[in-house]
Amino acid sequence: YYRYYYTGHTIYILAIARYTNLPLNPTENDLRDMPSLVRKGFLDSAPLDVHTKALAAFSGNGGKPHGLVAEVYAGSQIWNFPVKQYAFNLSAIGETAYNSGATFARGANADPSALFNLMKLDQNQLPNRNNRRVIRYRHGTMQMVLQEFGQAKTKSYQFMIFYGGSDTPLGSSWMGQSLTDHPDFVWYPDLDNPGDPRGGNPYVKASDLKALCPDLPLR
């Protein structure tokens, strides 16, 4: 709504409403029945993006290895934990006929077509085989060892990567229990860099980051 403070000037206030009856740990059926915008909130991080960032952090990816921090709980509270180790496994690329009518339902979360449609990916990018579109996909698993309150805790996740006619990914989706239990986001601890105004966070000190992640290398 808006309110006039004085003649000729209007102050606009944007009010954002949120659902108050959402489950903290939604089931697959809950996820299916949510409005698309709300469901997107539970599918916020793409597994391929999480994998790429974790791989870069622990391999160096052309630079030096650096720390990684993950927020891994779906509840309203935000808990960030250092990632101590990362491991993954990817299957060979498989191929199956695409079903544009496949819908996400309990027990169907391993169906590439259902997950592809759930993620709202573009079916026009799929290749044709004998006048029928096909999905090319990989199953993936990842394991993160987190440092939680002085204890090492392992979290495992399942995901699927989708491909078109080439080996360039079209997108990815969490699958199984990981649809509702996955990292909300991952981030790199980064030192202040006064010489580069584009880098660093002026409200976070390097000493604070070192205290939070004492045994992780900082970029």
Side-chain angles (χ1 to χ4, degrees), residues 71-176:
E71 201 284 293
V72 295
Y73 293 107
S76 57
Q77 295 186 2
I78 305 299
W79 290 93
N80 290 273
F81 298 103
V83 181
K84 307 287 290 183
Q85 298 176 31
Y86 178 73
F88 70 96
N89 182 67
L90 290 175
S91 71
I93 295 180
E95 188 172 295
T96 187
Y98 171 62
N99 177 8
S100 61
T103 57
F104 176 78
R106 191 172 187 82
N109 57 52
D111 182 343
S113 294
L115 289 173
F116 188 91
N117 295 335
L118 178 70
M119 300 309 296
K120 307 294 184 184
L121 298 176
D122 184 5
Q123 61 177 287
N124 293 320
Q125 298 186 64
L126 297 176
N128 280 293
R129 301 282 190 268
N130 299 319
N131 295 319
R132 187 171 185 180
R133 294 192 185 279
V134 297
I135 296 182
R136 302 175 67 240
Y137 64 96
R138 274 183 169 146
H139 286 111
T141 59
M142 62 175 76
Q143 283 191 333
M144 289 183 175
V145 179
L146 307 173
Q147 189 74 14
E148 295 190 9
F149 309 112
Q151 301 291 325
K153 183 175 182 179
T154 301
K155 300 280 286 184
S156 299
Y157 306 103
Q158 294 178 292
F159 61 98
M160 189 176 290
I161 304 174
F162 306 103
Y163 300 86
S166 68
D167 290 346
T168 300
L170 298 178
S172 59
S173 173
W174 301 105
M175 57 184 293

